[in-house]
Amino acid sequence: MATLTTRAPDRASRRTTVGTPARRGRRQTVTAYLFLAPTLLFFAVFLVLPLLFALLLAVSKWSGFSLGQITPIGFGNFASILGRGSTFLTPILTNTLLFAFGSVVIALLASLVLANCINRLRFQGFWRTLYFLPIVTTVVAVGNIWKVLYEPTGGLVNGLLNAIGLPSVSFLTNPNTALPSIVVVQAWTAVGSAILILTAGLKAIPESYYEAAELDGAGAWTMFWTMTLPMLRPTLLFVSITQFITALQSFALIIVMTGDGGPADATNVAGFEMYQQAFKYGDWGTASAMAFVLFLVILVITLAQLWFFRRKGEETS
Amino acid sequence: MRSRRKPWLSYLVVALGGLVMVVPFLDLVMTSFKGPGEYGTLPYHFLPKHLDFGNYAAAIDGLDLPLLFRNSIIVTLVVTTAVLLTSSLAGYALAKLRFPGRAFVFRFVLTTMMFPPFLFLIPDFLILVHWPLAGGNNLFGTGGSGLAMSIVALVMPFLVSGFGIFLMRQFIVSIPDEVLEAARLDGAGEFTIWLRIVLPQTRPVAITLGLLTFVNAWNEYIWSLLIATANPRAMTLPVGIQLLQNYLDPARTTPIVMAGLVLSIIPVLVVFLLLQKYYVRGVLTSGLR
Amino acid sequence: MRRRSLATLGFAAAGATALGGCGASASARGSGPVRLTLLSHYANAPLKPGLAKLIDEFNRTHRTVQVTAQGVNFDSLLETVTVRQAAGRGADIIQPYGLWAGQFAEAGVLVPAPKGIAEEIRAHYSKAAVGAATVDGTLYGYPTETQTYGLYYNKRLVPTPPSTWDELESAARKATKRDRHGNIVVQGFGVSKEQDSNVVHPFLSLLQSAGGHFLEPGGTHTAVDSAAARSVLDLECGLIRARVTDPGTDMAKAYPSGLVGMTINAGWWLGALPAMMGGSYKDVGTAPIPGPRDGARGSLAYGYFMGVNAQSRHQDAAWEFLTWLNRGKSRGARATRMGTFQYSVGTIPPRPADTDALTEGTKNANLATFAAALEYATPEPNINHGQQIKAVLQKNIEAAWTGQAAVPDALRTTAEQVDNLLAR
């Protein structure tokens, strides 16, 4: 505002139409809130209200059909799902953590390597598009494609195994292999967007750094370890956090590939169990309680990652 | 320039990875052409013995493709438009307008990104069921089925995206203030400024956001499954294909489902391939670090 | 500008409300015939067309009440009922699986059957059928299907059916064939993992033949952590370890293809096998499920029933339709409409009188096994949380089969988890 008053003599005739700074400030406030109105309204109805409702349900017992039947029962739901004999902690929560951890780690490592490699080639756009393919197709497609690939009779993976003399493996019906098989698929779909974001981070590192290091005689591995990785830290953190949050709650792939939670509940994850509790068993209180427990888990893991990456940053800087 | 040695190792790694990316899709297409008895028998063979278009006919027969495509297209277009509109409006307000509470609102928007969507699955459904004065509901939202049975339910929870607002805001911040000030001094209202100056400038990030939203909306499964369970007429393409398996002859299910999937992937693939150049560029320049 | 964006918002809200309102109000308007919807899992042949024929007959002869059938796959049925009920759009008439009766009673989904109808049902239906539709003494509808379990065997592979577990094991070993890679080509005894019922029901049948039971009287604790249950799992796991059984096979395809010596399944399979097997159907034999000792038998009975939705605005019309369907007889018929329909697809009718009338003069040895099992079969419990308990049992049995858990541990875990659910 100060700059305008000093420029006033040039535009004296026009300035009068705009009004005093105070009135302009008020106008901006009103306009701003009008621009924000749809957003704020949306969040009020579809974020704040649901959260409150979910909180209410988490401490109640309800079958879902008539609002008047919601019966508050205190922390009974939490006691039941965290207590003895509950399947929520084991195996469901452990499955969820394994699923998330496995798929994110694989996706991160693979995309780190691939983003770096792609960065050195020509036709980078082509390669990145190639890796982006799985994201463009629906989870239904991905799930079914891989279900077919994993089939003991008629699947490509077992076809390859048989061709080199190994017996077929029932990937999705064997409790020991079911979850890892799906973890691989989840990582497969996540690699593309991770590569994209990591590439943005890579491209922000000036070439001059590398040239200087090369002149000093640094090898490719040293450059990667001492320069690329630390400078990618913020990008890696972003990818890691967003992918973890997604993986901890996603279960569409699990529904498509193993409809009911897998052999011996091997692929039952928290999101899926919560969905079943509400929409199959009609136990809305338990479902909401599970949702909040899962949310807490996500929060803890996110904070842990922030802490971990910050520590690493302090060490290297 | 870095050393001129040809990056053979990189080529190898990337090519191998690329193979892993592409082969499943090739298998999809191959399987969609396998006739009954060809699929599911040992020993495994990759190529079908001959091209059996019967699976495509059965898929088209078993799926109400016009309905599914119509629903999916409507939902995707509505959601993409809504997200682009609300994100650029809110993003502009947060980036360039000064008003009390601006910092709070921005932090609030950031916080919304941290809440996992599944938390809202159940309450959102119930809120839509008890929406007042809709679907037979009275003023208190009881008595009918609210909006939950209609196609509106498919789009409602996705109309605004905290991530989109964040993206837009970061981008709009980089638009020089002078341009906007000049327009204000010329007597333009904020809405005109937004429409005539800001919006055209946000084209790169808008394409990125639009494409991302488009793909996510097209592929959305869990919420769509829920609404389709309540009302089969409100079914989208992914859900339709998945449920196809329940009604087919078990011996031929898989190749037919594969054919249905190929049909459903093609539109998105085409759109994506046409726009991928912009998308990639968009992510790279959006300051997403 | 201000006016424009407000107007847009207003339009959007009105549009959304209008769009939403369009779908639901049509059925509420009263003029014209009363329209009823019926939801069941009869989504494919032969059940779907069979039911459709009966409904057409009703619609033709009743101008004031018109019924439409909605069929979804069984796997989606429970979820469909729950979601549509929560959305306020439940069907007027629902045919739930008996196991869910407890869950539905707790949630108030169905109305109890009116006194006159309930009395008629209790007087003329088999005990197992009535039990499936009753929760805490309250009857919730007309039983429609009753199923029991028996031992299916392939006469070429297993000449005489076993009458003890030892005989079963040796017959299974004799019938097994493997290829040179060691893959099982012909299984002596087949277990299936296809659905929860395929895993749980044979287990419960064998449990009964071994003298065990699943629920303590009173229904607050499970009795599954018992010696009898351990012996059942030991039997099944032993067969798997001896590579006489492969849990990963698709039993629905393998048995009709003549690749399985023996397997345990329900009576409705008899309705589907002739079409699948054609000429080789003559190889199919059925026998009671044997127990560890000679003379012991076991089976499980479960059923479906049709009840009226508490949300329905036309409950009287709904009961009128149900009575016509389940008690009425078509002109010249020997049995009720539902009984005739069920028998035609290979299921034992829930009314003993229908069974007598329809099997008079015929000799269907295979079906006789399942009809006889009605006498001694233990009914599937339908307590609240029944579906969840069944899922828990299924997962733990699978864990034992695949060697993930030792048999005693699997049963102990099951008991803990089931008790946790019973306490909710």
Side-chain angles (χ1 to χ4, degrees):
Chain A
M1 296 300 155
T3 37
L4 277 150
T5 15
T6 52
R7 277 199 284 171
D10 293 333
R11 305 174 188 269
S13 54
R14 291 191 193 147
R15 194 156 73 85
T16 47
T17 60
V18 182
T20 64
R23 204 187 310 168
R24 193 135 50 101
R26 225 177 303 135
R27 210 181 60 161
Q28 283 208 350
T29 309
V30 171
T31 315
Y33 276 105
L34 261 155
F35 277 18
L36 286 168
T39 304
L40 293 176
L41 204 66
F42 176 87
F43 283 134
V45 174
F46 287 104
L47 195 117
V48 177
L49 193 56
L51 261 182
L52 295 174
F53 198 4
L55 263 169
L56 172 63
L57 283 181
V59 294
S60 314
K61 197 160 111 133
W62 193 41
S63 320
F65 307 139
S66 147
L67 284 177
Q69 282 178 351
I70 303 182
T71 354
I73 56 166
F75 288 105
N77 290 327
F78 291 97
S80 166
I81 63 177
L82 297 173
R84 201 158 157 269
S86 158
T87 54
F88 192 64
L89 288 178
T90 339
I92 292 176
L93 220 45
T94 47
N95 284 343
T96 313
L97 291 169
L98 280 171
F99 177 73
F101 198 69
S103 59
V104 172
V105 166
I106 296 179
L108 265 183
L109 286 176
S111 56
L112 196 57
V113 168
L114 287 164
N116 263 290
C117 292
I118 294 180
N119 218 18
R120 305 197 188 169
L121 308 175
R122 298 197 304 166
F123 306 119
Q124 295 189 14
F126 166 74
W127 292 115
R128 272 186 227 113
T129 311
L130 199 66
Y131 282 91
F132 211 68
L133 271 179
I135 300 182
V136 179
T137 57
T138 68
V139 67
V140 171
V142 171
N144 279 298
I145 292 176
W146 277 93
K147 208 160 138 187
V148 166
L149 287 177
Y150 279 138
E151 278 276 324
T153 51
L156 177 57
V157 179
N158 279 309
L160 289 173
L161 285 177
N162 283 337
I164 58 176
L166 292 171
S168 298
V169 179
S170 287
F171 287 100
L172 292 178
T173 51
N174 183 337
N176 297 320
T177 56
L179 192 60
S181 309
I182 300 191
V183 164
V184 166
V185 181
Q186 180 78 4
W188 183 79
T189 52
V191 160
S193 68
I195 289 181
L196 211 53
I197 299 179
L198 283 176
T199 307
L202 278 175
K203 293 226 178 276
I205 305 177
E207 267 297 302
S208 48
Y209 284 29
Y210 291 113
E211 289 167 22
E214 244 188 359
L215 288 176
D216 283 347
W221 178 250
T222 328
M223 285 201 288
F224 178 77
W225 194 252
T226 57
M227 285 170 44
T228 318
L229 258 190
M231 293 222 248
L232 272 182
R233 210 173 37 88
T235 320
L236 274 174
L237 180 64
F238 179 78
V239 174
S240 174
I241 288 186
T242 48
Q243 294 229 347
F244 245 112
I245 293 182
T246 309
L248 280 167
Q249 50 166 310
S250 98
F251 60 97
L253 194 61
I254 288 178
I255 284 193
V256 172
M257 293 186 80
T258 61
D260 64 345
D265 251 357
T267 60
N268 195 353
V269 294
F272 182 56
E273 179 68 14
M274 181 206 78
Y275 182 84
Q276 289 212 303
Q277 284 294 332
F279 299 113
K280 193 165 170 183
Y281 303 134
D283 195 348
W284 303 71
T286 307
S288 291
M290 287 184 179
F292 274 103
V293 173
L294 183 59
F295 173 58
L296 269 164
V297 170
I298 292 181
L299 202 61
V300 165
I301 292 187
T302 306
L303 291 173
Q305 287 178 81
L306 282 169
W307 175 85
F308 173 74
F309 274 88
R310 202 148 290 161
R311 280 283 303 277
K312 282 271 156 177
E314 281 157 17
E315 285 165 18
T316 55
S317 60
Chain B
M1 261 292 103
R2 265 204 253 173
S3 50
R4 308 276 175 123
R5 278 175 292 127
K6 270 251 179 203
W8 289 119
L9 190 61
S10 295
Y11 264 116
L12 189 65
V13 169
V14 172
L16 270 178
L19 212 63
V20 173
M21 289 291 136
V22 162
V23 162
F25 290 101
L26 291 178
D27 192 63
L28 168 72
V29 176
M30 294 297 141
T31 312
S32 72
F33 285 117
K34 288 186 182 160
E38 271 191 67
Y39 170 75
T41 53
L42 292 170
Y44 172 80
H45 49 273
F46 186 64
L47 295 168
K49 295 215 173 64
H50 49 265
L51 292 178
D52 184 353
F53 280 92
N55 294 326
Y56 283 90
I60 295 178
D61 205 39
L63 296 168
D64 187 354
L65 277 183
L67 175 75
L68 294 176
F69 263 106
R70 186 198 72 144
N71 287 342
S72 277
I73 290 176
I74 292 180
V75 167
T76 306
L77 285 179
V78 168
V79 169
T80 308
T81 317
V83 166
L84 284 175
L85 269 175
T86 55
S87 297
S88 58
L89 276 171
Y92 174 61
L94 290 172
K96 291 298 182 186
L97 294 181
R98 291 166 167 238
F99 56 95
R102 183 169 85 165
F104 173 73
V105 171
F106 186 50
R107 249 176 280 142
F108 177 71
V109 168
L110 285 181
T111 329
T112 66
M113 291 204 286
M114 285 214 291
F115 283 99
F118 76 89
L119 202 58
F120 309 115
L121 201 64
I122 299 167
D124 275 354
F125 182 72
L126 295 168
I127 286 175
L128 284 174
V129 170
H130 295 285
W131 196 274
L133 301 175
N137 277 342
N138 56 25
L139 207 58
F140 295 103
T142 56
S145 54
L147 295 173
M149 299 288 284
S150 74
I151 202 176
V152 174
L154 287 170
V155 307
M156 285 296 249
F158 306 107
L159 293 173
V160 174
S161 156
F163 177 70
I165 298 177
F166 173 69
L167 219 60
M168 279 283 178
R169 187 253 180 201
Q170 298 298 89
F171 189 86
I172 294 177
V173 157
S174 65
I175 296 179
D177 285 335
E178 293 77 45
V179 181
L180 305 171
E181 277 307 324
R184 284 197 195 107
L185 289 176
D186 279 346
E190 296 299 335
F191 186 73
T192 321
I193 296 180
W194 173 79
L195 192 63
R196 297 270 168 78
I197 302 179
V198 176
L199 220 44
Q201 294 240 351
T202 58
R203 208 161 69 99
V205 73
I207 294 185
T208 303
L209 182 61
L211 192 55
L212 198 63
T213 314
F214 183 89
V215 170
N216 280 337
W218 186 268
N219 293 343
E220 206 288 319
Y221 186 65
I222 300 290
W223 178 258
S224 310
L225 177 64
L226 194 55
I227 304 296
T229 306
N231 178 9
R233 299 285 310 162
M235 200 180 287
T236 56
L237 199 52
V239 178
I241 295 183
Q242 182 64 11
L243 291 184
L244 181 64
Q245 306 182 46
N246 296 338
Y247 302 101
L248 293 178
D249 168 20
R252 290 191 59 180
T253 311
T254 307
I256 299 180
V257 171
M258 298 286 115
L261 289 174
V262 170
L263 289 174
S264 75
I265 290 181
I266 290 177
V268 193
L269 211 53
V270 164
V271 168
F272 172 68
L273 286 174
L274 288 176
L275 293 178
Q276 57 88 13
K277 185 171 54 145
Y278 298 100
Y279 177 80
V280 174
R281 201 189 301 157
V283 172
L284 295 184
T285 57
S286 67
L288 199 64
R289 306 173 280 111
Chain C
M1 180 275 306
R2 200 173 307 175
R3 244 175 283 129
R4 204 200 300 184
S5 50
L6 270 180
T8 331
L9 271 176
F11 263 119
T17 319
L19 264 177
C22 275
S25 50
S27 60
R29 254 175 255 132
S31 62
V34 166
R35 293 195 183 279
L36 300 174
T37 46
L38 187 157
L39 177 64
S40 74
H41 67 288
Y42 293 168
N44 291 320
L47 293 160
K48 183 170 168 186
L51 183 64
K53 223 164 58 118
L54 288 170
I55 292 181
D56 284 341
E57 188 188 329
F58 180 84
N59 286 342
R60 269 199 318 270
T61 54
H62 293 74
R63 285 294 162 192
T64 52
V65 180
Q66 298 287 291
V67 177
T68 327
Q70 301 167 344
V72 297
N73 220 39
F74 178 73
D75 289 334
S76 319
L77 183 59
L78 181 55
E79 203 172 307
T80 306
V81 172
T82 308
V83 171
R84 289 195 191 166
Q85 196 76 1
R89 282 296 219 124
D92 295 285
I93 300 169
I94 302 179
Q95 181 181 250
Y97 175 37
L99 178 68
W100 308 331
Q103 180 180 330
F104 286 178
E106 175 79 19
V109 174
L110 299 168
V111 292
K115 200 149 110 54
I117 292 180
E119 278 169 5
E120 198 270 332
I121 292 175
R122 286 203 188 94
H124 294 108
Y125 280 79
S126 68
K127 220 161 58 95
V130 173
T134 308
V135 181
D136 282 342
T138 314
L139 186 63
Y140 282 97
Y142 279 101
T144 51
E145 265 187 57
T146 321
Q147 303 285 356
T148 52
Y149 277 78
L151 184 74
Y152 284 79
Y153 63 98
N154 186 319
K155 290 182 187 155
R156 276 187 308 109
L157 299 166
V158 177
T160 40
S163 45
T164 65
W165 285 5
D166 288 333
E167 287 179 27
L168 186 130
E169 282 177 295
S170 56
R173 261 177 249 267
K174 269 210 288 256
T176 305
K177 294 195 201 13
R178 302 197 192 92
D179 69 7
R180 60 170 209 269
H181 293 296
N183 297 323
I184 302 178
V185 175
V186 173
Q187 296 181 56
F189 183 83
V191 299
S192 170
K193 291 209 285 191
E194 276 310 298
Q195 278 187 339
D196 50 2
S197 295
N198 295 104
V199 175
V200 168
H201 288 173
F203 172 82
L204 290 176
S205 306
L206 288 167
L207 181 63
Q208 190 201 23
S209 74
H213 54 280
F214 185 70
L215 268 185
E216 298 288 4
T220 50
H221 281 286
T222 177
V224 81
D225 193 3
S226 62
R230 277 193 286 274
S231 66
V232 173
L233 271 186
D234 284 334
L235 171 71
E236 291 183 335
C237 295
L239 291 170
I240 296 174
R241 272 195 307 271
R243 307 212 62 231
V244 147
T245 299
D246 179 6
T249 22
D250 184 356
M251 197 52 49
K253 280 201 229 139
Y255 179 79
S257 314
L259 297 173
V260 179
M262 298 171 280
T263 187
I264 297 178
N265 207 342
W268 60 263
W269 217 18
L270 283 177
L273 285 176
M276 279 198 265
M277 299 177 77
S280 14
Y281 179 71
K282 59 178 171 26
D283 293 334
V284 170
T286 61
I289 299 168
R293 284 169 306 283
D294 210 353
R297 299 165 309 178
S299 183
L300 183 88
Y302 70 86
Y304 290 79
F305 63 95
M306 279 191 187
V308 173
N309 197 331
Q311 278 179 0
S312 170
R313 294 176 218 220
H314 312 289
Q315 292 180 16
D316 291 331
W319 284 115
E320 182 190 325
F321 168 73
L322 283 178
T323 309
W324 176 93
L325 183 66
N326 290 284
R327 190 175 169 184
K329 297 185 181 162
S330 293
R331 199 201 312 255
R334 292 173 290 171
T336 63
R337 292 188 177 89
M338 181 55 71
T340 317
F341 167 51
Q342 293 294 344
Y343 185 71
S344 73
V345 296
T347 302
I348 313 163
R351 288 182 187 253
D354 284 346
T355 315
D356 291 336
L358 290 163
T359 57
E360 196 180 316
T362 66
K363 262 188 74 65
N364 187 338
N366 283 340
L367 193 59
T369 311
F370 297 97
L374 265 177
E375 301 299 313
Y376 59 86
T378 179
E380 182 175 43
N382 61 5
I383 45 184
N384 191 11
H385 303 299
Q387 181 65 55
Q388 284 192 69
I389 291 175
K390 186 174 181 181
V392 158
L393 183 56
Q394 173 203 4
K395 302 297 180 169
N396 282 294
I397 294 177
E398 283 178 348
W401 283 359
T402 54
Q404 282 213 317
V407 166
D409 294 332
L411 287 172
R412 198 171 7 98
T413 314
T414 311
E416 278 176 7
Q417 292 173 347
V418 173
D419 283 340
N420 178 304
L421 285 168
L422 286 171
R424 285 202 199 162

